[in-house]
Amino acid sequence: MAVRACGLIIYRRLQSAPSSRVTDGIEYLLLQTSYGTHHWTPPKGHVDPGEDDLQTAFRETQEEAGLQASQLTLIEGYKKELHYPAHGKPKTVVYWLAEVKDCNTEIKLSEEHQAFQWLKLEDACKFAEYEDMQATLKEAHEFLCSKK
């Protein structure tokens, strides 16, 4: 049976973006795991019994980054499923896109993570080593750019 996890790709818009391009002021939140290879990822985690996917995404974001659902705006129309092997088993991860309402909101990490960064798309893709995660970040960015 496939392992199922859900999470949120969280972004903020910096008010001080100097250029007229809306997308230049967008930064994505990535968390660095405190276990394994210390990879960087958006907040995500396994679905608990009786929970739906979106509930899981919000719960995991609260647990891992200290962000409450009330501090986020879920972006309609974006949902991405990734499929890859993890520890020899198939894994499915579902991501939604969410904006932090206040770009100065404090991030509070759990023990699962040792660091976080707000990163522009290019840097976020460098930190996110996995190609499917890089592609997902780019796709989310393009989605945001098309919404103006």
Side-chain angles (χ1 to χ4, degrees):
M1 170 136 165
V3 175
R4 189 168 186 85
C6 300
L8 296 175
I9 296 171
I10 296 176
Y11 72 96
R12 67 180 182 183
R13 291 180 194 271
L14 299 177
Q15 266 60 39
S16 60
S19 75
S20 57
R21 288 181 48 212
V22 179
T23 54
D24 287 349
I26 293 177
E27 291 182 336
Y28 297 91
L29 176 65
L30 291 181
L31 311 178
Q32 186 180 36
T33 59
S34 52
Y35 56 87
T37 58
H38 303 300
H39 64 284
W40 292 82
T41 175
K44 70 175 188 312
H46 295 133
V47 178
D48 283 347
E51 209 175 36
D52 72 33
D53 288 352
L54 194 53
Q55 284 174 319
T56 299
F58 278 113
R59 178 183 52 76
E60 288 290 339
T61 298
Q62 183 177 343
E63 288 174 8
E64 295 183 358
L67 294 170
Q68 311 286 336
S70 61
Q71 295 173 294
L72 302 167
T73 302
L74 191 67
I75 305 305
E76 294 293 319
Y78 185 88
K79 182 178 170 185
K80 177 73 176 178
E81 266 192 44
L82 301 180
H83 303 275
Y84 55 89
H87 309 293
K89 295 187 183 116
K91 183 170 184 175
T92 299
V93 183
V94 185
Y95 285 109
W96 287 266
L97 194 52
E99 182 174 12
V100 174
K101 292 177 182 175
D102 175 358
C103 70
N104 297 312
T105 300
E106 185 184 355
I107 303 300
K108 298 179 194 92
L109 296 176
S110 71
E111 290 112 40
E112 291 180 53
H113 296 90
Q114 61 186 14
F116 74 90
Q117 295 232 21
W118 287 103
L119 299 158
K120 296 214 179 294
L121 178 65
E122 188 178 324
D123 292 327
C125 288
K126 286 178 190 156
F127 275 71
E129 298 156 34
Y130 298 104
E131 281 182 27
D132 55 356
M133 191 67 243
Q134 292 170 350
T136 299
L137 286 166
K138 288 175 185 167
E139 188 181 278
H141 196 75
E142 284 170 21
F143 180 81
L144 289 173
C145 297
S146 70
K147 280 182 67 83
K148 292 217 175 32

